[in-house]
Amino acid sequence: MKDRYCVIMCGGIGSRFWPFSRTYRPKQFLDFFGTGRSLLQSTYDRFSRIISPENIFISTNEMYVDLVKEQLPEVADERILAEPQRRNTAPCIAWAAYHIQALNPNANIVVTPADHLILKEDSFAECIDKGMKFVEKYPALLTLGVKPNRPETGYGYIQIEDDNNEDIKTVKTFTEKPNIELARVFVESGEFFWNSGIFIWNVQTVIKAMQRHLPEIVNRCEANKEVFNTPKEKEFVNENYMACPNISIDFGLMEKASNVFVLCAEFGWADLGTWGSVYEFSAKDRNGNVGAKGKQLRYDCNNNVIAVPENKLVVLQGLNDCIVVESDNVLLICQKKEEQRIRKFITDAKVNFGDDFI
């Protein structure tokens, strides 16, 4: 257990959950299901049961450090890696890898977003344990693949090489968010799994892979290894982070490396990236409505997801298949099938009315 580490990534702004998710308090810090725990807290709870809490690190943006401390007071300051700018997942994972390497050169690391829903906690813990044992033994970059139960267009897909009868397979291809026709082909073929965005690797394996495929990110880290886990580390990061390309770990590393494997699993997973995903996994009334937040009266309404402040009453009549969300100074009403336009709504709101509504 002493060689097992976890990095929870929670630096994003969660724009697809606007206006409930705002720049100053994005979705990972919100409690979507009324459990009393935010998505970040729930992720920390999940991993602290299977990895020593002192080996769990939080990667976030500098502007969210106070929120992390507020929600996870048990996490020491030295285990919060605060990015000076947003540069996507590859730079933040590289920083975490070099930081943890300085602590333990034998570390095996699971990297996870903070905004996932896991319904089968025991099965998930078994998958993490199996994945950790695999990367302890083999120099592999491992990702968790989830067996799809529908042709979902909002997830990336992993095609497997059916080269053995084990749960861990060689990756053949990655495909980002396909159209509905292609997603149907993927599901029917049985060769494709959803890309969960959860990764497991030994720290030496991932650093070696990044040296080959992401030299523009790690060359500076490699040349300055002595600063990590010292008082000079943050100064080095602040001076060099903006020079890193804005690139995801999927595109920058996983799609290019040859030692990539997938652990095929089923543990009740969902990426809570959209209001549609909240609708899917929330309890519904007999007319298919999800009353996520606030006091509500609904008449002749079907298949809506509704979230308003707890002190507000919303009365709806004759509304079908819509998202109704109010937060602070913004009220959003749009069709569920059009929620991909929320990012355009945000841009237009910023252009026309300024940052106060973002």
Side-chain angles (χ1 to χ4, degrees):
M1 290 292 289
K2 67 181 179 62
D3 291 338
R4 294 186 175 187
Y5 289 76
C6 176
V7 177
I8 300 174
M9 299 182 293
C10 69
I13 60 174
S15 59
R16 288 179 293 175
F17 273 113
W18 183 80
F20 202 55
S21 175
R22 307 291 282 269
T23 302
Y24 55 83
R25 198 176 186 90
K27 66 176 179 178
Q28 59 267 30
F29 301 105
L30 304 176
D31 174 13
F32 277 93
F33 297 101
T35 63
R37 301 289 279 175
S38 70
L39 297 179
L40 170 61
Q41 289 170 318
S42 297
T43 302
Y44 181 85
D45 294 345
R46 181 179 307 125
F47 281 95
S48 64
R49 288 192 283 268
I50 54 181
I51 291 175
S52 298
E54 62 269 20
N55 287 353
I56 298 177
F57 289 79
I58 310 297
S59 175
T60 191
N61 187 272
E62 281 183 348
M63 70 185 299
Y64 302 138
V65 169
D66 288 343
L67 280 172
V68 171
K69 291 181 177 181
E70 171 193 314
Q71 296 201 349
L72 298 175
E74 62 269 47
V75 175
D77 289 356
E78 59 267 24
R79 289 192 283 118
I80 300 174
L81 306 180
E83 305 165 280
Q85 297 97 11
R86 290 188 182 88
R87 305 303 291 161
N88 216 316
T89 54
C92 90
I93 288 172
W95 177 17
Y98 275 89
H99 182 86
I100 292 172
Q101 178 187 234
L103 293 169
N104 183 349
N106 299 314
N108 299 298
I109 308 169
V110 54
V111 179
T112 180
D115 56 354
H116 288 179
L117 175 68
I118 306 293
L119 298 178
K120 301 175 183 178
E121 298 273 357
D122 291 343
S123 296
F124 181 75
E126 291 174 5
C127 287
I128 297 298
D129 182 63
K130 182 181 292 187
M132 284 288 190
K133 289 176 178 175
F134 184 76
V135 302
E136 286 169 8
K137 188 175 180 181
Y138 302 104
L141 303 173
L142 183 67
T143 185
L144 299 191
V146 178
K147 186 177 178 62
N149 56 21
R150 64 185 186 280
E152 172 62 55
T153 61
Y155 297 158
Y157 285 74
I158 303 168
Q159 185 181 20
I160 61 169
E161 294 272 14
D162 196 10
D163 46 10
N164 58 57
N165 294 318
E166 304 297 326
D167 294 334
I168 296 177
K169 309 278 191 181
T170 304
V171 171
K172 189 173 183 179
T173 62
F174 287 89
T175 303
E176 276 301 305
K177 300 177 181 177
N179 60 36
I180 188 63
E181 291 80 11
L182 195 55
R184 289 194 184 104
V185 172
F186 286 175
V187 174
E188 291 168 2
S189 75
E191 296 180 5
F192 289 80
F193 287 72
W194 286 333
N195 185 356
S196 72
I198 300 172
F199 308 103
I200 306 175
W201 41 53
N202 179 271
V203 68
Q204 302 302 333
T205 302
V206 72
I207 286 177
K208 184 178 179 180
M210 286 189 290
Q211 287 170 350
R212 179 174 181 180
H213 299 287
L214 291 167
E216 63 273 34
I217 291 178
V218 301
N219 279 353
R220 296 178 191 221
C221 295
E222 194 64 27
N224 295 272
K225 284 193 293 188
E226 71 281 355
V227 308
F228 291 96
N229 198 34
T230 75
K232 295 181 180 180
E233 178 177 340
K234 191 62 170 74
E235 180 183 354
F236 167 78
V237 170
N238 288 344
E239 290 176 355
N240 291 276
Y241 209 76
M242 195 60 187
C244 293
N246 187 346
I247 189 171
S248 71
I249 198 70
D250 299 84
F251 181 75
L253 182 63
M254 302 300 283
E255 294 182 15
K256 297 175 180 177
S258 59
N259 56 333
V260 181
F261 295 82
V262 58
L263 171 53
C264 305
E266 293 183 73
F267 41 78
W269 171 87
D271 175 5
L272 294 177
T274 63
W275 283 109
S277 60
V278 170
Y279 179 84
E280 180 183 355
F281 288 97
S282 296
K284 302 171 182 63
D285 70 8
R286 63 182 181 181
N287 295 313
N289 298 297
V290 170
K293 294 282 183 179
K295 299 174 178 63
Q296 305 176 19
L297 292 174
R298 300 184 291 266
Y299 305 91
D300 309 314
C301 293
N302 300 278
N303 306 320
N304 303 291
V305 55
I306 306 145
V308 298
E310 296 294 345
N311 62 342
K312 289 287 184 75
L313 167 66
V314 59
V315 182
L316 301 175
Q317 189 278 323
L319 198 67
N320 299 305
D321 300 300
C322 285
I323 299 165
V324 180
V325 184
E326 181 183 356
S327 179
D328 293 337
N329 54 359
V330 177
L331 169 64
L332 168 72
I333 304 172
C334 78
Q335 294 177 309
K336 290 211 305 287
K337 67 180 181 180
E338 299 290 343
E339 71 169 323
Q340 73 275 7
R341 298 176 64 186
I342 287 178
R343 284 179 172 164
K344 176 170 173 32
F345 301 161
I346 295 171
T347 300
D348 290 348
K350 183 173 182 176
V351 168
N352 286 281
F353 305 111
D355 291 339
D356 290 345
F357 299 92
I358 304 306

